[in-house]
Amino acid sequence: MKKSTSLLFLGSIMTLFSCSNTSESVSTETYPNVVATFAGKIDLNNLSNYANQTKPAYITKDNTADNPITDKGATLGRVLFYDKNLSSNNTISCASCHIQANAFGDDTDASDGVNGTTTRHAMRLINSRFSNERKFFWDERATTLENQTSQPIQNHIEMGFSGTSGDGSITTLITKLQSIGYYKELFKYVYGSEEITENKLQLALAQFIRSIQSFDSKYDAGRSTVQNDNQAFPNFTAQENLGKNLFLTPPVFDTNGVRTSGGFGCAGCHAAPEFDIDPNTKNNGIIGILNGTGIDITNTRAPSLRDLVNTNGIPNGPMMHTGSFATLQNVIGHYGNITIAPRNTNLDPRLTPGGIGQQLNFQPGEVNALIAFIKTLSGTNVYIDPKWSSPFK
C-alpha cells in the first residue's frame, strides 16, 4: 500500500472510531431521510449491538484491529450492503449474492450481475472477523476485507462501476450516493461529514460484514463444556463424536497413498474452532472454470465450514468456486479419491501423500459420521437476526 493511501486509510479509521463510539441522543429532525427510509428498521437512538457481541473464550482470532467494529459504522455498512443503488442499474446489491437465508452465500452456482453472471460461486461470509486467512476472493487477490468490499462494485459484470466498457467509475457511484438524502445524513452521523469516499465505503461495509457471526451451534454448546476439541462432547451422539474424531485426526497412508488408519485429516486445512481455511493451503483439486472452458488452479481460499448447511441440514447452496458439488457426499467423495490433473501444478501436497493422490478408503459409517459432525457447526441466529437483515422497508 502506498504511503498516501495508508495515511488516508488510517485517518478514516480514526475519524470513524472517534465519532462512532458515542451514545449521544440524536434529534430525528436532524435525520429526516433516515427516519423516513428506515423507520422500524433503524433507530439512531437505539442502534443494534454490532460492537460488543459475545464470542466464546476458545475463539482467539480477531481481525478487527485495523478497523474496529462500531455500532454506527456497521449500521451504515448494513445500509450499503443491502442498497441496490450501489449497482449501475439499481438492480443488484451485495445482498443479492450474499443472502442472509443462505448464511450470506448464494443458492445458485453463478450469481446474477448487472451484465451477466459471476465467474465464481459467491462465498459465504460467516465469521470473517475470526478467519485464519485474511485475504479474500477464491484466488486471494484482495489483501484485506476492506479492499475486497469495493471490488464487486467496480466489476463490469457484477455491479457495473468498472470505469471500462462504457461503465461509470467509482467516482460516478460516489456522486450518485451523494445525491441521496439518507446517505448525506448517515455519512455525517458516522463520520461527522457528508463527504463520501471509497475508503469510507470500504470501512463501513467491512465493519458490517465482520459483525456477522455464528456461535450458537451444537458444536459450540459442546465445546464450551470441555477443555479441548479432542475430548468427547457430552451433547454429541456417538456418530457425531466419531465424525469429529475423523475430522480432527490425520490419516495414515501406505506407500500407495491409501489410508490404512487414522482419520480424514480435514482439520489440516479447516482447523477447529474457527473452521476457516489455512492461509498456506494450495489448490484442492477443483480446477474447472464456472461457465467456461480450460482450467483455473489459482483458487486457494474457502469460506468457513460453519453454517455450511442450514438449520435443516441442507447445504446453503452449491459448494466450491464452480458450485459443482450439491451435497456433502459429493465433497467428501472428491477428497476421498484425489486425481492429480496433469496441468495442476498448484495442488496442495497434503492431498498427495508420497506424491500420489490420496485414497481415504472409507469404512462403513465413516462418511455419514463426518456429515453428522459438519451439521453440528451450524447455528440458528444468523439466519434470523434483524440486525443483519435488510434495513429497507
Side-chain angles (χ1 to χ4, degrees):
M1 184 179 290
K2 294 180 180 178
K3 182 177 180 181
S4 59
T5 305
S6 300
L7 291 174
L8 174 61
F9 182 73
L10 292 173
S12 295
I13 291 173
M14 295 308 296
T15 300
L16 178 58
F17 187 75
S18 64
C19 70
S20 297
N21 287 314
T22 57
S23 57
E24 76 279 4
S25 177
V26 298
S27 170
T28 56
E29 295 178 357
T30 307
Y31 303 97
N33 290 289
V34 172
V35 172
T37 307
F38 307 112
K41 298 284 189 175
I42 294 176
D43 179 357
L44 298 184
N45 283 308
N46 186 28
L47 294 177
S48 297
N49 175 22
Y50 297 105
N52 296 301
Q53 299 178 79
T54 60
K55 65 175 183 177
Y58 47 82
I59 297 295
T60 59
K61 300 291 188 300
D62 189 336
N63 299 330
T64 61
D66 293 332
N67 182 17
I69 298 172
T70 65
D71 293 342
K72 286 186 177 182
T75 297
L76 171 58
R78 176 188 174 196
V79 174
L80 292 164
F81 188 86
Y82 280 96
D83 198 341
K84 293 181 180 180
N85 281 303
L86 269 70
S87 66
S88 60
N89 64 0
N90 304 326
T91 63
I92 300 295
S93 70
C94 303
S96 299
C97 304
H98 300 283
I99 304 162
Q100 184 177 19
N102 299 116
F104 292 92
D106 202 347
D107 57 359
T108 61
D109 293 357
S111 305
D112 290 328
V114 298
N115 290 302
T117 55
T118 54
T119 56
R120 291 187 176 98
H121 176 66
M123 231 184 250
R124 285 170 293 107
L125 301 178
I126 295 292
N127 287 3
S128 61
R129 173 181 177 180
F130 311 102
S131 61
N132 295 314
E133 175 57 84
R134 299 190 182 191
K135 297 178 182 178
F136 284 86
F137 293 114
W138 290 99
D139 59 5
E140 301 185 0
R141 66 184 182 275
T143 55
T144 66
L145 177 56
E146 284 75 16
N147 179 255
Q148 183 278 332
T149 56
S150 61
Q151 288 195 35
I153 296 170
Q154 298 177 82
N155 183 283
H156 172 68
I157 291 175
E158 295 185 46
M159 299 176 81
F161 285 103
S162 67
T164 63
S165 305
D167 293 348
S169 67
I170 190 71
T171 302
T172 310
L173 171 63
I174 290 171
T175 300
K176 177 183 179 181
L177 298 184
Q178 285 175 331
S179 70
I180 299 174
Y182 57 80
Y183 279 124
K184 291 182 179 180
E185 295 170 4
L186 283 171
F187 273 82
K188 185 171 184 178
Y189 174 69
V190 175
Y191 295 101
S193 167
E194 293 182 2
E195 180 191 22
I196 299 175
T197 66
E198 181 183 357
N199 186 219
K200 289 179 180 179
L201 295 173
Q202 292 174 327
L203 293 171
L205 278 166
Q207 285 192 33
F208 174 70
I209 293 167
R210 286 201 186 97
S211 80
I212 301 169
Q213 65 179 56
S214 181
F215 293 119
D216 62 337
S217 67
K218 188 174 185 179
Y219 165 83
D220 292 298
R223 178 63 180 82
S224 65
T225 65
V226 297
Q227 293 184 340
N228 59 66
D229 282 286
N230 293 315
Q231 293 180 279
F233 286 12
N235 66 325
F236 273 20
T237 66
Q239 184 186 49
E240 289 165 346
N241 271 313
L242 172 60
K244 178 169 68 70
N245 290 338
L246 290 167
F247 186 96
L248 296 173
T249 307
V252 176
F253 295 103
D254 65 16
T255 55
N256 295 313
V258 178
R259 170 178 162 254
T260 57
S261 61
F264 297 159
C266 312
C269 294
H270 304 278
E274 291 88 0
F275 298 97
D276 188 59
I277 195 72
D278 171 18
N280 297 312
T281 53
K282 295 186 177 182
N283 178 266
N284 68 349
I286 304 299
I287 60 174
I289 296 177
L290 183 58
N291 299 328
T293 59
I295 66 170
D296 181 358
I297 64 175
T298 66
N299 299 291
T300 59
R301 185 71 160 93
S304 169
L305 297 185
R306 285 177 174 271
D307 290 277
L308 178 60
V309 302
N310 63 23
T311 53
N312 295 317
I314 300 170
N316 280 309
M319 290 157 279
M320 306 301 180
H321 73 276
T322 56
S324 53
F325 293 152
T327 70
L328 295 179
Q329 287 90 342
N330 294 153
V331 174
I332 296 168
H334 163 73
Y335 289 110
N337 190 4
I338 292 292
T339 300
I340 304 177
R343 290 187 291 165
N344 188 359
T345 57
N346 199 36
L347 184 62
D348 196 295
R350 282 167 284 198
L351 301 177
T352 57
I356 302 171
Q358 71 177 14
Q359 299 175 56
L360 291 179
N361 190 25
F362 301 132
Q363 299 302 301
E366 288 185 331
V367 171
N368 287 338
L370 180 59
I371 291 172
F373 170 66
I374 291 173
K375 289 180 177 180
T376 71
L377 304 181
S378 295
T380 58
N381 181 62
V382 73
Y383 302 94
I384 59 174
D385 197 314
K387 70 172 172 282
W388 297 315
S389 67
S390 174
F392 292 93
K393 293 181 290 185

